[in-house]
Amino acid sequence: MSEEKITINSIDMESQIGESETLLDQIRTMVRQNKLAALAAVVIAVIALAAIFAPLAAPYDPYAQTLTDRLQAPSAAHILGTDELGRDVFSRIIYGARVSLMVGLVPTVISMAIGTILGLLAGFYGGKTDFAIMRLADVMLAFPSLLLAMVITYTIGGGLVSIFMALILVNWAGTARIVRSQTLSLKEAEYVEAARSIGVKKWKIMFRHILPNCLPSLIVLFTLNIPAAILTESSLSFLGAGLQPPSASWGLAVVRGKKYLFSEPWLSIAPSVAIMIVVMAFNFLGDGLRDVLDPYLKEQ
């Protein structure tokens, strides 16, 4: 029995090493062949660095009000002009990148972790466990995500924490359904049956044998869920249910500049373009990763 365990573990380790090398080769292939995805990754890296080092990258204090400089047009002193309170628009967009990336990353990571665990449990155990988890997921998916997020933020109040909670509650169900469907097919695989036959514990089978095979799909889903979360935060802030002034939020900047759309259009256009660039970059990166990680696309 011990020799069989050693043999299976060694085979698993060799296969994992081979898969990791293959994955790196596939990503290099994506960089060579899909220039758009590579460019998107560079854009995301630049925006992330600007957000991290915002105090160094921003030329002005984003919260400093100078009423004598209000509603100035774009110039050498203010690249994207100033808003109705004399604040530098470019500096507020840089600081707004912090909010957008935090809203994109933190709730997405937490909601996908919850959805992954629940999806593994539902697919592996089946029966009543599967029924309870999937019916709860169906209830969450039955409501429009933006409407449900608005109800949550209006109930518990605005702010970054409220948006995090709203996005986590809204987004976990989709991940759970995807992981469950993959678990249902993977748990019948030969290597899983071999692990069961030698007495490997169920939680080890789920997290050491099934979960690694779900990672390619989860990586792609992660890159596609981030822009969805950013758009949801921007929509909530635009509708008044998200962050409140004086927060440097792109969605909040769009709605505050809406009344000056015909006289000072840069107030709404600049943050709108920033949202568009980030969302498109993550979508292009997700498409590129899907091309190299999805086995079904490789067979075509």
Side-chain angles (χ1 to χ4, degrees):
M1 183 68 68
S2 60
E3 293 178 358
E4 290 178 355
K5 289 184 179 180
I6 295 173
T7 303
I8 291 176
N9 289 334
S10 63
I11 293 174
D12 287 343
M13 291 177 62
E14 291 174 0
S15 62
Q16 290 174 2
I17 293 173
E19 289 176 358
S20 63
E21 292 175 350
T22 304
L23 178 61
L24 292 176
D25 293 338
Q26 291 171 340
I27 293 177
R28 293 191 188 100
T29 302
M30 182 198 73
V31 173
R32 290 194 301 266
Q33 296 181 355
N34 195 331
K35 302 298 183 182
L36 192 59
L39 178 61
V42 173
V43 170
I44 293 171
V46 171
I47 294 174
L49 289 174
I52 294 171
F53 300 103
L56 300 177
Y60 298 94
D61 183 348
Y63 304 105
Q65 301 180 12
T66 308
L67 296 180
T68 56
D69 296 333
R70 64 188 300 270
L71 298 178
Q72 288 191 0
S75 61
H78 301 280
I79 299 176
L80 296 177
T82 60
D83 62 9
E84 72 277 11
L85 297 176
R87 298 172 298 191
D88 184 65
V89 174
F90 180 66
S91 299
R92 289 184 64 80
I93 286 179
I94 292 178
Y95 274 82
R98 283 184 164 184
V99 175
S100 294
L101 291 180
M102 285 179 61
V103 168
L105 291 173
V106 176
T108 300
V109 170
I110 297 175
S111 64
M112 289 191 65
I114 296 173
T116 299
I117 294 174
L118 293 178
L120 284 171
L121 294 174
F124 190 81
Y125 287 100
K128 294 182 179 179
T129 303
D130 183 20
F131 181 83
I133 294 175
M134 286 301 100
R135 295 301 74 77
L136 180 60
D138 290 339
V139 170
M140 300 302 299
L141 294 173
F143 295 95
S145 58
L146 182 59
L147 179 61
L148 183 58
M150 288 180 61
V151 171
I152 296 172
T153 53
Y154 275 127
T155 302
I156 62 179
L160 202 58
V161 176
S162 301
I163 293 176
F164 284 178
M165 294 177 63
L167 292 174
I168 291 169
L169 291 174
V170 166
N171 294 332
W172 69 267
T175 303
R177 291 184 69 89
I178 292 174
V179 174
R180 171 188 177 269
S181 64
Q182 292 193 330
T183 303
L184 287 174
S185 61
L186 290 172
K187 74 176 184 178
E188 305 297 335
E190 294 181 356
Y191 61 89
V192 174
E193 294 294 336
R196 283 176 173 170
S197 66
I198 61 175
V200 178
K201 295 181 179 179
K202 292 182 179 180
W203 67 269
K204 285 187 177 180
I205 295 176
M206 286 191 292
F207 290 98
R208 292 186 58 184
H209 298 282
I210 295 178
L211 180 59
N213 288 282
C214 298
L215 287 180
S217 298
L218 290 175
I219 292 173
V220 175
L221 186 63
F222 178 71
T223 58
L224 296 178
N225 281 347
I226 289 176
I230 293 174
L231 285 175
T232 301
E233 181 276 325
S234 300
S235 301
L236 290 173
S237 297
F238 183 85
L239 296 172
L243 297 178
Q244 303 300 318
S247 299
S249 165
W250 291 345
L252 191 60
V254 173
V255 70
R256 291 182 66 87
K258 183 178 63 174
K259 58 184 177 181
Y260 303 103
L261 188 59
F262 294 101
S263 57
E264 287 84 18
W266 61 85
L267 295 179
S268 290
I269 292 177
S272 299
V273 171
I275 295 172
M276 181 187 69
I277 290 174
V278 171
V279 170
M280 290 181 64
F282 275 107
N283 283 333
F284 287 141
L285 179 61
D287 289 340
L289 291 174
R290 184 188 60 186
D291 292 340
V292 299
L293 296 177
D294 194 338
Y296 297 102
L297 292 177
K298 297 176 188 177
E299 295 175 358
Q300 296 178 355

